[in-house]
């Protein structure tokens, strides 16, 4: 079924008098209704509410598309439905984290009251910007998975999808180069492998706390 909306009446490019909403029922049978702009907005608001998107949009200040994707993930994933962080970290978990590994560490940090920023853009000149601002490829140095700041420390945290032994020579050289640049700029760098996050999550969080001075 495909709902169709057409402009009815005068359209000056700035204002529209009315809209015709056509809902197909079966075959050539349709339901048609002429609505004003305000009526159409009310209709849209009611649809968003009924679908369960409204609370998500208001909580995370996100779009209908984002709310739909979050709702769909919650509905199809038992871990999401039963999550104690539901409606607290759903947006960052679903829309900002780039891997299940990041999602796992995000939830562990949140449960330990560690306020981490995701996907901070750190440029070569030590200026920063924040997700979802675009990345300038000529200026960017790195985008840590998590960034934590204390009174006297700036900590970049990476969840590498490979062990230290699995990294290619290029990856190892690149990572070491980034680490040196960050350290020169005053950052502390922490890198954790897949096995560390999956199998030693509590130890990983404690290690981060130690780096923070907690």
């Amino acid at each position: 079924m495909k709902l169709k909306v057409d402009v009815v009446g005068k359209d000056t490019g700035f204002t529209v008098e009315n809209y015709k909403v056509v809902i197909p029922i079966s075959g050539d049978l349709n339901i048609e209704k002429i609505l004003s702009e305000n009526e159409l907005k009310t209709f849209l608001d009611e649809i968003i509410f009924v679908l369960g998107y409204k609370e998500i949009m208001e909580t995370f200040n996100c779009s209908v598309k984002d709310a739909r994707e979050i709702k769909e993930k919650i509905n199809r994933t038992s871990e999401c439905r039963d999550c104690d962080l539901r409606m607290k970290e759903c947006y960052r978990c679903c829309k900002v984290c780039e891997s299940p590994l990041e999602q796992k560490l995000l939830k562990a940090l949140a449960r330990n009251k560690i306020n981490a920023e995701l996907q901070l853009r750190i440029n070569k000149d030590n200026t920063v910007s924040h997700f979802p601002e675009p990345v300038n490829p000529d200026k960017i140095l790195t985008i840590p998975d998590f960034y934590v700041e204390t009174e006297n420390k700036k900590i970049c945290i990476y969840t590498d999808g490979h062990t230290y032994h699995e990294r290619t020579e290029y990856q190892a050289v690149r990572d070491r180069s980034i680490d040196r640049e960050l350290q020169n700029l005053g950052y502390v760098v922490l890198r954790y492998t897949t096995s560390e996050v999956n199998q030693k999550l509590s130890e990983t969080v404690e290690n981060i706390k130690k780096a923070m001075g907690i």
Side-chain angles (χ1 to χ4, degrees):
M1 183 181 75
K2 185 176 181 180
L3 184 145
K4 184 178 180 182
V5 181
D6 290 323
V7 173
V8 177
K10 185 178 180 181
D11 181 359
T12 65
F14 298 97
T15 60
V16 175
E17 289 185 357
N18 290 301
Y19 299 83
K20 181 172 71 172
V21 179
V22 181
I23 303 175
I25 303 300
S26 63
D28 295 330
L29 181 62
N30 298 319
I31 294 176
E32 298 184 5
K33 180 71 175 179
I34 304 297
L35 300 175
S36 67
E37 182 173 347
N38 286 336
E39 288 173 330
L40 188 61
K41 288 179 179 178
T42 300
F43 182 47
L44 177 59
D45 287 341
E46 290 175 353
I47 292 174
I48 290 172
F49 178 79
V50 169
L51 291 175
Y53 301 160
K54 186 176 179 64
E55 182 185 3
I56 297 172
M57 292 171 65
E58 291 179 346
T59 300
F60 301 112
N61 191 29
C62 65
S63 67
V64 174
K65 180 177 180 293
D66 288 339
R68 183 179 69 229
E69 291 177 4
I70 292 169
K71 178 74 181 303
E72 288 174 351
K73 182 171 183 181
I74 291 173
N75 287 343
R76 71 172 180 265
T77 310
S78 59
E79 183 180 351
C80 290
R81 290 196 299 270
D82 302 330
C83 182
D84 58 312
L85 297 171
R86 183 174 170 181
M87 295 307 295
K88 297 176 183 177
E89 289 289 357
C90 294
Y91 180 82
R92 298 205 303 169
C93 187
C94 295
K95 300 298 298 179
V96 185
C97 285
E98 297 183 341
S99 70
L101 206 62
E102 290 180 31
Q103 292 172 339
K104 190 167 189 175
L105 186 53
L106 169 65
K107 288 184 281 190
L109 293 175
R111 288 173 181 136
N112 281 270
K113 311 300 181 185
I114 297 175
N115 184 24
E117 179 176 350
L118 277 65
Q119 308 299 325
L120 177 72
R121 288 89 161 95
I122 302 176
N123 294 315
K124 297 172 185 176
D125 61 0
N126 205 19
T127 58
V128 300
S129 58
H130 308 274
F131 178 91
E133 295 177 36
V135 175
N136 186 328
D138 296 324
K139 294 183 178 181
I140 192 69
L141 170 63
T142 185
I143 304 177
D145 300 325
F146 303 91
Y147 172 72
V148 178
E149 188 168 324
T150 67
E151 288 184 3
N152 55 8
K153 287 186 179 179
K154 301 183 295 181
I155 304 172
C156 295
I157 303 169
Y158 296 85
T159 55
D160 296 320
H162 46 249
T163 67
Y164 297 115
H165 300 293
E166 290 173 336
R167 288 188 297 180
T168 65
E169 182 178 356
Y170 168 77
Q171 289 170 329
V173 170
R174 180 202 61 190
D175 289 349
R176 286 197 297 269
S177 176
I178 290 173
D179 291 354
R180 284 195 296 268
E181 289 295 325
L182 286 172
Q183 289 162 2
N184 288 337
L185 294 172
Y187 294 89
V188 175
V189 182
L190 303 176
R191 290 184 181 273
Y192 300 100
T193 65
T194 299
S195 60
E196 286 175 313
V197 175
N198 284 334
Q199 300 171 22
K200 300 178 180 180
L201 185 58
S202 296
E203 293 178 26
T204 298
V205 173
E206 288 303 316
N207 186 262
I208 293 170
K209 286 183 177 181
K210 185 177 179 180
M212 295 172 63
I214 299 176

